[in-house]
Amino acid sequence: MLIKEELNRYNRQMILPELGLKGQEKLKAAKVLVIGAGGLGCPVLQYLTAAGAGKIGMVDDDMVELSNLHRQILYNHTDIGLSKAKTAATKLKLLNPHVDFTAYHERFTADNAIAICQDYELVIDCSDNFTTRYLINDTCVELGKTLIFGSILQFEGQVAVFNHNSGPNYRDLYPAPPSENINCVEGGIIGILPGIIGLYMANEAVKLICSIGETLAGKLMTVNALNNMVLVFKIAQGKQAEIVKAETTVSTSKEIDKTTLDQWLSESPDEIYLIDVREDYEHEEFNIGGVNISLYELTSSLKSIPKNKKVVCYCQTGQRSKMALQLLEGIYEGEVYSLTGKLL
């Protein structure tokens, strides 16, 4: 039951017919686990706290650093050197004393994953490395927990809802981790992006808890904050993703490594058509040749892509090139390949 102070606090969202008193009571009864109290974790934690999620757990073994502060705005310079999880819990309690917080100042590992996750109904992945992402996913699959996923790098972010009602999980989209990991330390990030993606994640959480609206269950949304392009992919279980509502055509798609590409280029260079699917500023800074067609401009540039050559898409990490492959797979008739691994 909501007390009078809570009724006043949440009044502006409770008057929404889609949410109402019942929705707010569902939020109060919710148990949400947020793994990672950094760039994505901060906005997720702040807005779920403000929205009135009843119990929130947060897992993070990191300390606040000066380089965090341009994007992790829950913290300030006086928090440098302090535990993120414990500091976040203290600050969030001031934001909303009606929420119950549990801070886990420890790394999320195979040894503690099930013990931490089992008491929560919804898990939100705000981690920053592939090892943790796959562990979170596999734990949620084992326990039957719905997982909200988010990732950010440079100007681009991704949001998805996995394992909802036994739907597609993270491995249906990315079956195995890449050979190398790139993060904000190496690739950089615009400080506003975690807020954009984090708020989408928090919004998905509210919708799932309250059973309202259309969620990203079984879908992957990509957001480019530099050019304001948004794409939504539908994820098929056991298959690669394909663009929502895309028409299916016959095509051959594969992933290749740099060794294979070099061999193709040495044997028959005229048969290969390289496409750098990064942004133009990234292409200008460094590239391995070919033309530059941004991931977000691919569908409008189909006429310029020859159908009688092997099209190989590449990017910095292999993630955008994989999405390019998925995009072209549904609308392009020729052979398409994605280059895996990092360029540098």
Side-chain angles (χ1 to χ4, degrees), residues 251-269:
S251 65
T252 301
S253 341
K254 296 178 181 178
E255 293 183 65
I256 62 170
D257 57 21
K258 187 64 164 55
T259 301
T260 301
L261 175 61
D262 290 341
Q263 181 179 345
W264 286 359
L265 290 172
S266 65
E267 294 175 350
S268 52

Side-chain angles (χ1 to χ4, degrees), residues 17 68 72 111 131 155 175 182 191 244 258 307 315 325 332 342:
N68 299 150
Q72 300 178 23
D111 293 330
T131 300
F155 291 94
I182 184 170
V244 171
K258 187 64 164 55
K307 297 180 181 179
C315 64
L325 181 151
Y332 180 71
K342 292 172 60 176

